[in-house]
């Protein structure tokens, strides 16, 4: 198991290039199932979550490898075992995104039902409802989702909203099932996240007919087959937001490349209020702190609202604000595992239902802390960068799920982070 040792208190300065988006790459890898042949995903980051899906796809019968350029190459000429085993799915819930493509390609699938995780219950009822509406017969047996579409899938109008708004991977699943269904599917209350738009653009490049991309109403005219293609994934906007906060907590200035600032309006808006400006450039931006941290209120929402995947990192930033802030979590109301760890570093955070009340403190104090999930661990790294002294973060395998070479990227900006195996 690895730990990070962070010597805090250094102003970060310099240029960082973002990796490809994890949450765009995962469904795009699953989309390769839809097109027999070899798909190439350029910019797919080297992360443990990506490795889990590579393994899952190879168990289905595909050949999955990195080519000499480091791109992901997925040969799905053979898909002869449409099964997502518990032992793999339990490592990553996003494995559920193979369900729609497998139903479309093989007419059947058996996938372990994902359980809850550190950020909440995370049901998949809306995925199953949507697939049933497309004509799939679905039941649960021994912890597995057993899905069949004996007579193929048929397009229709589907409402995909749930108690917390749209669902990102639910939209991905239904979209990927619908592209090969007979007739027209209309998805109302579709997720508008840039990662879903990237998936839809990729599907269209494969020969699908998806319109309304980026809006809550996706219209899909089914086609009979899709072609394997090369596709470049978008940069990771959550990684971008994490580096933006790194500039904010260290009074630094960071130029971020491979970043679509247009996808980050809600984040830039809150940063401006806090005292960190985001100046757009071609394919990137410069993020600059004014040396102060003003308090701000944040509510997470589906895109284009403020992303839940940056809630923990902004909590670190607002812990150091000159005044009180409130963060309200409207997507995963229990996603607050970082609160107790940040308090160990002398933050003053109080949880009240789905909100956290933050009384800003002058300094965070280094301490040994425990990473509990991906974004919570990013929040602790940011706290370590801001704190005086040496912070030790245990269980950094959580951060390796979603941040490619984070310590190397931060060290290139002046941070002092060492990784040790214990
Ligand atoms: N929900 C349901 N029923 C469903 C599906 C979702 O009630 O069938 C609820 C969820 O419990 C949650 C809300 O709907 O309250 C939204 O969840 P969503 O389905 O959108 O989440 P997801 O698709 O499972 C993706 C990202 C998450 C990100 C969320 C929200 C990937 C691989 N994962 O998850 O990313 O937090 O959307 O934006 O794309 C991360 O990268 O750290 C991460 C957790």
């Amino acid at each position: 198991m690895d730990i990070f040792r962070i010597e805090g208190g250094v102003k970060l300065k310099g240029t960082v290039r973002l990796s490809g988006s994890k949450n765009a790459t995962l469904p795009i890898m699953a989309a390769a199932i839809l097109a027999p042949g070899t798909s190439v995903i350029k910019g797919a980051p080297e992360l443990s979550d990506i490795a889990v899906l590579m393994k899952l796809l190879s168990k289905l019968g595909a050949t999955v490898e990195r080519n000499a350029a480091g791109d992901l190459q997925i040969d799905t000429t053979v898909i002869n075992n449409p099964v997502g085993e518990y032992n793999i799915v339990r490592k990553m819930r996003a494995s559920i995104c193979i369900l729609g493509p497998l139903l479309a390609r093989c007419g059947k699938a058996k996938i372990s039902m994902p359980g809850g995780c550190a950020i909440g219950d995370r049901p998949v009822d809306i995925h199953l409802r949507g697939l049933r509406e497309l004509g799939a017969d679905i039941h649960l047996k021994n912890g597995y989702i057993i899905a069949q579409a004996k007579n193929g899938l048929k397009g229709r109008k589907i409402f995909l909203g749930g108690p917390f708004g749209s669902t990102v991977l639910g939209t991905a699943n239904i979209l990927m099932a619908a592209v090969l269904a007979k007739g027209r599917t209309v998805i109302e209350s579709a997720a508008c996240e840039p990662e879903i738009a990237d998936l839809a653009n990729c599907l269209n490049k494969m020969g699908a007919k998806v319109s309304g991309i980026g809006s809550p109403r996706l219209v899909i005219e089914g086609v009979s087959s899709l072609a394997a293609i090369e596709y470049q994934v978008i940069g990771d906007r959550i990684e971008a937001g994490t580096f933006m906060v790194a500039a904010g907590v260290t009074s630094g200035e960071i130029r971020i490349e491979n970043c679509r600032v247009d996808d980050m309006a809600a984040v830039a808006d809150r940063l401006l209020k806090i005292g960190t400006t985001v100046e757009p450039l071609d394919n990137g931006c410069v993020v600059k702190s004014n040396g102060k941290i003003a308090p701000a209120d944040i509510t997470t929402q589906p895109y284009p609202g403020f992303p839940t995947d940056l809630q923990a990192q902004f909590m670190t930033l607002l812990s150091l604000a000159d005044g009180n802030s409130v963060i309200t979590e409207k997507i995963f109301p229990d996603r607050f595992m970082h609160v107790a760890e940040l308090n160990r570093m002398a933050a003053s955070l109080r949880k009240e239902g789905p909100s956290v009340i933050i009384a800003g403190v002058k300094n965070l104090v280094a301490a040994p802390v425990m990473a509990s999930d991906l974004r919570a661990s990013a929040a602790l790294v940011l706290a370590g960068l801001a704190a005086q002294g040496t912070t030790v973060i245990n269980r950094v395998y959580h951060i390796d799920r979603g941040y490619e070479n984070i310590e190397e990227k931060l060290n290139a900006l002046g941070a002092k982070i060492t990784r040790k195996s214990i």
Side-chain angles (χ1 to χ4, degrees):
M1 224 188 310
D2 288 359
I3 61 165
F4 276 166
R5 198 178 282 277
I6 306 178
E7 304 290 335
V10 184
K11 270 188 190 199
L12 298 191
K13 203 166 170 43
T15 300
V16 66
R17 188 171 176 80
L18 300 180
S19 297
S21 159
K22 166 180 85 78
N23 290 349
T25 302
L26 290 169
I28 287 174
M29 289 170 74
I33 294 171
L34 296 166
T38 301
S39 296
V40 177
I41 307 176
K42 292 169 163 273
E46 286 205 35
L47 299 169
S48 57
D49 271 10
I50 301 292
V52 171
L53 192 52
M54 287 170 76
K55 184 157 182 203
L56 189 57
L57 292 175
S58 62
K59 293 267 182 188
L60 303 178
T63 305
V64 191
E65 56 200 4
R66 293 259 172 197
N67 65 19
D71 300 328
L72 209 51
Q73 201 162 292
I74 306 175
D75 180 353
T76 58
T77 308
V78 177
I79 295 288
N80 55 9
N81 178 40
V83 178
E85 287 169 20
Y86 174 69
N87 268 342
I88 302 183
V89 176
R90 74 182 169 83
K91 292 186 182 147
M92 186 182 66
R93 306 184 77 268
S95 306
I96 190 73
C97 69
I98 64 171
L99 179 57
L102 281 178
L103 262 178
R105 166 101 184 243
C106 309
K108 60 179 183 177
K110 178 181 166 189
I111 316 281
S112 174
M113 177 82 170
C117 71
I119 68 176
D121 296 346
R122 307 187 73 186
V124 293
D125 54 314
I126 305 171
H127 300 232
L128 304 189
R129 188 179 84 206
L131 293 171
R132 282 192 179 110
E133 291 195 33
L134 289 178
D137 176 47
I138 298 180
H139 63 278
L140 296 183
K141 196 177 169 193
N142 301 336
Y144 276 80
I145 299 163
I146 315 283
Q148 269 194 321
K150 279 197 182 123
N151 303 316
L153 297 170
K154 284 195 191 67
R156 57 174 294 176
K157 190 164 182 163
I158 298 173
F159 174 73
L160 270 196
F164 298 94
S166 52
T167 155
V168 173
L169 287 176
T171 302
N173 247 333
I174 309 311
L175 172 60
M176 289 190 279
V179 287
L180 289 178
K182 281 200 187 77
R184 169 185 290 195
T185 302
V186 178
I187 305 178
E188 298 284 7
S189 197
C192 302
E193 271 68 7
E195 294 76 18
I196 293 298
D198 207 31
L199 169 67
N201 286 327
C202 173
L203 290 167
N204 277 352
K205 196 171 174 199
M206 292 162 79
K209 291 192 174 147
V210 184
S211 56
I213 295 175
S215 83
R217 185 172 201 262
L218 289 174
V219 180
I220 304 130
E221 303 290 346
V223 296
S224 56
S225 65
L226 295 176
I229 54 155
E230 263 192 28
Y231 192 76
Q232 172 77 48
V233 290
I234 55 173
D236 195 312
R237 69 189 165 103
I238 305 304
E239 188 188 18
T242 305
F243 280 98
M244 289 172 179
V245 174
V249 287
T250 66
S251 300
E253 180 174 339
I254 302 177
R255 182 189 169 104
I256 304 179
E257 295 179 352
N258 192 28
C259 172
R260 305 196 316 177
V261 186
D262 282 354
D263 291 346
M264 305 197 63
V267 175
D269 171 73
R270 290 297 78 191
L271 280 172
L272 188 63
K273 167 90 174 68
I274 291 167
T276 296
T277 50
V278 178
E279 184 200 323
L281 302 170
D282 277 354
N283 197 29
C285 58
V286 173
V287 187
K288 191 174 177 181
S289 157
N290 68 6
K292 296 192 179 120
I293 301 174
D297 291 343
I298 293 178
T299 300
T300 65
Q301 285 169 332
Y303 186 84
F306 188 93
T308 173
D309 290 344
L310 286 172
Q311 177 256 110
Q313 299 88 320
F314 271 73
M315 197 172 293
T316 298
L317 180 57
L318 291 173
S319 293
L320 289 161
D322 186 14
N324 298 339
S325 308
V326 178
I327 293 186
T328 302
E329 177 54 69
K330 287 269 177 94
I331 308 291
F332 297 113
D334 295 324
R335 194 178 200 176
F336 288 128
M337 299 283 281
H338 39 286
V339 167
E341 297 303 291
L342 288 173
N343 279 342
R344 298 194 70 246
M345 296 180 72
S348 177
L349 312 176
R350 189 162 53 86
K351 195 171 162 300
E352 285 278 350
S355 299
V356 172
I357 295 147
I358 304 165
V361 293
K362 284 228 156 11
N363 298 297
L364 290 175
V365 179
V369 285
M370 188 83 80
S372 57
D373 73 71
L374 169 56
R375 308 304 172 187
S377 13
L380 295 178
V381 169
L382 293 164
L385 292 173
Q388 296 293 334
T390 307
T391 296
V392 174
I393 303 185
N394 293 283
R395 300 196 179 163
V396 297
Y397 59 85
H398 285 292
I399 210 161
D400 294 333
R401 295 186 58 182
Y403 289 90
E404 193 177 43
N405 303 330
I406 181 134
E407 75 272 33
E408 287 167 31
K409 285 176 176 169
L410 286 167
N411 286 346
L413 300 171
K416 292 180 184 157
I417 306 179
T418 47
R419 180 188 286 260
K420 273 210 177 95
S421 291
I422 54 165

